[in-house]
């Protein structure tokens, strides 16, 4: 089997089913997720998909985890840059709210299930600890960033032309932006922009840990700030 066919098969198994289901479900669901759903599903689905992607990378693509973190940098560099990317994401968030929030919709005003989750976390320290721990780091940050990088690596194996590699970054960012459609068009565009930043960062440095760290910190800081406001 050629490298191109292996890559296409890996995408069809590791990326399209879960993300396609997420998009389909968001378009057809009539009820919002409960707080329990939003704690359990990321760990089960996200954690399971991480294992699937790592297995596909190892046994189908014949690559190790090194392919996700092949850049010649140190752990200290990953940590430092992870904090830096977090700062960049917050700058983008404030800029987007100032320029796009009045133009684009923000889902069920503004994403009722997310607001309910935030209030429940503010009232229950145990739920907050679970969310800030395994849910954010494994079910959200690791799942999304490993999925993006795996998708990019698969597409980049198909062709080494620079135009193709850049187009792949935009395509992957658009797909993962669409998976946030429950946040309305504002959430799609905002997540897509963040995906572009992550994609070009990985294209340049080939390090996934700064992306995981910044994603987890970005989500965690927003939750902590909301909990402090509610308290």
């Amino acid at each position: 089997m050629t490298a191109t066919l292996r890559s296409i098969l890996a995408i069809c198994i590791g990326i399209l089913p879960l993300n396609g289901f997420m998009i389909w479900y968001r378009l057809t669901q009539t009820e919002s997720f409960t707080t329990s759903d939003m704690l359990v599903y990321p760990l089960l689905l996200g954690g399971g998909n991480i294992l699937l992607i790592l297995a596909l990378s190892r046994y189908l693509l014949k690559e190790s985890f090194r392919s996700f973190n092949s850049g010649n940098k140190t752990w200290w560099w990953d940590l430092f840059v992870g904090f830096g990317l977090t700062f960049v994401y917050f700058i983008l968030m404030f800029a987007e709210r100032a320029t796009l929030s009045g133009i684009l919709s923000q889902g069920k005003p503004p994403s009722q299930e997310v607001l309910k989750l935030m209030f429940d976390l503010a009232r229950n320290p145990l739920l907050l600890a679970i969310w800030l721990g395994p849910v954010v780091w494994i079910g959200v940050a690791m799942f999304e960033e490993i999925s993006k990088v795996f998708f990019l690596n698969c597409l980049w194996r198909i062709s080494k032309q620079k135009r193709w590699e850049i187009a792949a970054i935009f395509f992957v960012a658009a797909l993962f932006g669409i998976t946030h459609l429950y946040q309305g068009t504002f959430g799609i565009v905002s997540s897509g922009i963040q995906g572009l930043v992550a994609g070009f960062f990985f294209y340049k440095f080939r390090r996934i840990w700064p992306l995981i760290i910044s994603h987890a910190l970005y989500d965690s800081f927003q939750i902590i700030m909301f909990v402090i406001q509610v308290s």
Side-chain angles (χ1 to χ4, degrees):
M1 187 183 298
T2 66
T4 296
L5 288 177
R6 289 178 183 273
S7 297
I8 294 173
L9 183 58
I11 292 171
C12 291
I13 297 174
I15 298 297
L16 297 184
L18 181 56
N19 287 280
F21 171 78
M22 290 168 60
I23 294 171
W24 170 82
Y25 186 79
R26 286 296 187 179
L27 289 172
T28 60
Q29 75 175 120
T30 57
E31 296 181 359
S32 299
F33 286 122
T34 65
T35 297
S36 297
D37 292 338
M38 297 185 73
L39 289 172
V40 174
Y41 288 164
L43 287 175
L44 290 181
L45 299 179
N49 209 66
I50 289 172
L51 296 177
L52 175 60
I53 285 174
L54 295 180
L56 289 170
S57 182
R58 175 66 178 85
Y59 297 107
L60 180 60
L61 302 181
K62 308 301 182 182
E63 296 178 345
S64 67
F65 186 74
R66 178 71 178 169
S67 64
F68 294 85
N69 214 49
S70 60
N72 187 25
K73 301 294 181 181
T74 65
W75 288 100
W76 286 108
W77 187 90
D78 289 342
L79 186 61
F80 177 78
V81 175
F83 276 95
L85 279 175
T86 306
F87 183 70
V88 171
Y89 288 153
F90 272 105
I91 292 177
L92 287 174
M93 180 190 71
F94 290 125
E96 290 158 1
R97 288 182 177 177
T99 58
L100 299 176
S101 61
I103 303 173
L104 304 176
S105 68
Q106 299 188 40
K108 306 171 195 176
S111 190
Q112 292 176 355
E113 62 190 27
V114 175
L115 282 179
K116 183 179 184 305
L117 171 67
M118 295 298 101
F119 279 110
D120 288 342
L121 295 180
R123 290 193 295 260
N124 191 321
L126 177 59
L127 291 181
L128 179 62
I130 294 173
W131 182 265
L132 293 177
V135 175
V136 165
W137 284 91
I138 299 175
V140 178
M142 287 188 68
F143 161 62
E144 289 197 14
E145 300 308 327
I146 286 177
S147 296
K148 291 175 189 173
V149 168
F150 179 74
F151 200 175
L152 286 171
N153 279 338
C154 287
L155 292 175
W156 290 340
R157 283 166 58 95
I158 295 174
S159 173
K160 299 299 182 182
Q161 291 186 3
K162 186 173 182 179
R163 285 183 296 180
W164 169 262
E165 293 176 333
I166 299 301
I169 294 173
F170 279 89
F171 180 72
V172 171
L175 175 64
F176 282 91
I178 293 172
T179 62
H180 293 79
L181 58 84
Y182 66 97
Q183 298 175 358
T185 52
F186 178 82
I188 294 174
V189 173
S190 178
S191 298
I193 292 173
Q194 188 170 330
L196 286 176
V197 173
F200 279 105
F201 175 88
F202 186 76
Y203 180 73
K204 173 67 175 178
F205 296 105
R206 292 300 200 275
R207 300 289 289 187
I208 194 174
W209 282 112
L211 300 179
I212 294 173
I213 292 169
S214 59
H215 192 150
L217 291 178
Y218 176 75
D219 288 352
S220 297
F221 286 156
Q222 291 187 80
I223 294 168
I224 291 171
M225 288 188 293
F226 186 88
V227 170
I228 291 174
Q229 290 176 341
V230 172
S231 301

